[in-house]
């Protein structure tokens, strides 16, 4: 009897997964084509290789509408940022794809994300990396994101509530770090937790104004190179009052 119940449960879960994948198919495909179009016009940023098919596939397979409050297909897959409450947003799809590409995530990588938000960027990274550690300072967002990621089967993602400025040393060192909020300069603890050859991608600049999407590459212990790749506008990096 237990075996039969297990088989029935597996069938139900499989049907639910198929039903979820079938939602918003047309809108998701249109989003990916929009990203491709933007990428073709950004050769100066991405180089001749453009956006990798791995990144585009991750964008195509991730159910963005389940990471926003409205869960609307038309809203979720439009190429624009979306408010998720508490003064935070989910970045527009092209920016998510761009930051993911710039991080150069490989299948055996351990990645840190600072600013979990709804969990969408973590879900994209989870499809590309071996392990994702993501930190969110707002309790309600951390709790909701953790539940969403868990419910969708992202078992290689760990969510931590806290101030991301100091990183997550116990989870690292990291092959890549993605920061989804703007700060005047990259936090030194994050650079310290980056492996040699690793990359940190984040918006650098003042709050509520235009910032530079910046890539910091650790080329040797204590030595980095930095390049600004695009103008962006992100919410400010939130610090703990403690």
């Amino acid at each position: 009897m237990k075996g039969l119940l297990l088989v029935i449960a597996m069938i139900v879960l499989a049907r639910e997964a198929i039903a979820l994948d079938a939602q918003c198919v047309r809108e998701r495909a249109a989003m990916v084509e929009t990203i491709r179009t933007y990428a073709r016009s950004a050769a100066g940023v991405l180089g001749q290789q453009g956006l990798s098919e791995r990144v585009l596939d991750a964008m195509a397979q991730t159910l963005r509408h389940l990471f926003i409050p409205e869960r609307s297909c038309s809203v979720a897959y439009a190429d624009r940022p979306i408010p998720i409450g508490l003064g935070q947003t989910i970045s527009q799809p092209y920016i998510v794809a761009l930051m993911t590409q710039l991080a150069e995530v490989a299948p055996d990588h351990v990645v840190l994300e600072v600013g979990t938000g709804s969990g969408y960027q973590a879900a994209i990274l989870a499809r590309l990396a071996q392990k994702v550690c993501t930190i969110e300072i707002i309790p309600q967002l951390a709790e909701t994101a953790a539940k969403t990621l868990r419910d969708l089967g992202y078992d290689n993602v760990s969510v931590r509530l806290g101030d991301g400025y100091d990183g997550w040393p116990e989870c690292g060192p990291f092959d890549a770090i993605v920061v989804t909020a703007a700060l005047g300069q990259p936090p030194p603890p994050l650079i310290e937790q980056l492996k040699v050859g690793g990359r940190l991608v984040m918006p650098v600049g003042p709050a509520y104004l235009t910032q530079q999407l910046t890539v910091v590459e650790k080329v040797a212990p204590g030595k980095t190179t930095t390049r600004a790749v695009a103008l962006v506008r992100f919410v400010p990096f939130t610090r703990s009052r403690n």
Side-chain angles (χ1 to χ4, degrees):
M1 177 63 72
K2 289 183 178 179
L4 178 60
L5 291 174
L6 179 60
V7 170
I8 292 172
M10 291 176 65
I11 292 172
V12 170
L13 288 173
R15 286 178 175 175
E16 288 178 351
I18 292 170
L20 284 175
D21 285 341
Q23 294 174 0
C24 311
V25 171
R26 182 172 53 191
E27 291 86 353
R28 204 154 56 244
M31 177 195 73
V32 172
E33 287 309 307
T34 298
I35 293 170
R36 286 185 188 274
T37 300
Y38 279 136
R40 283 193 291 267
S41 64
V45 173
L46 294 166
Q48 292 299 319
Q49 77 278 4
L51 284 174
S52 73
E53 288 302 316
R54 288 187 73 236
V55 171
L56 289 168
D57 286 346
M59 299 294 296
Q61 294 168 14
T62 304
L63 307 180
R64 182 175 164 94
H65 62 287
L66 299 183
F67 291 89
I68 64 170
E70 293 182 52
R71 300 204 165 192
S72 160
C73 295
S74 60
V75 172
Y77 298 99
D79 196 62
R80 61 174 183 263
I82 302 170
I84 56 173
L86 302 169
Q88 304 301 300
T89 61
I90 178 174
S91 297
Q92 72 182 92
Y94 173 66
I95 294 298
V96 173
L98 176 60
M99 294 180 75
T100 304
Q101 179 70 39
L102 293 170
E104 296 190 356
V105 179
D108 61 345
H109 278 183
V110 177
V111 180
L112 173 67
E113 180 196 25
V114 177
T116 313
S118 71
Y120 178 68
Q121 174 74 80
I124 297 292
L125 294 169
R127 291 184 177 274
L128 302 170
Q130 181 181 50
K131 178 182 176 183
V132 177
C133 306
T134 179
I135 307 173
E136 173 56 54
I137 197 169
I138 300 175
Q140 298 97 312
L141 292 181
E143 181 180 350
T144 301
K147 183 179 186 305
T148 301
L149 290 163
R150 184 172 59 251
D151 290 349
L152 292 175
Y154 289 96
D155 56 5
N156 62 335
V157 180
S158 297
V159 180
R160 179 180 182 177
L161 174 64
D163 187 338
Y165 188 92
D166 293 320
W168 194 341
E170 303 85 355
C171 217
F174 302 103
D175 300 280
I177 299 175
V178 176
V179 181
T180 62
L183 198 61
Q185 63 181 14
L190 299 187
I191 302 296
E192 181 64 28
Q193 291 166 41
L194 197 61
K195 291 181 183 179
V196 172
R199 291 176 159 213
L200 182 152
V201 181
M202 69 174 291
V204 174
Y208 304 112
L209 297 174
T210 300
Q211 303 115 15
Q212 290 280 358
L213 184 58
T214 301
V215 179
V216 180
E217 185 170 2
K218 193 170 188 177
V219 295
K223 185 177 180 181
T224 61
T225 62
T226 302
R227 65 186 178 101
V229 298
L231 295 176
V232 292
R233 183 170 291 188
F234 277 73
V235 296
F237 195 110
T238 303
R239 296 296 316 277
S240 170
R241 292 182 179 179
N242 297 326

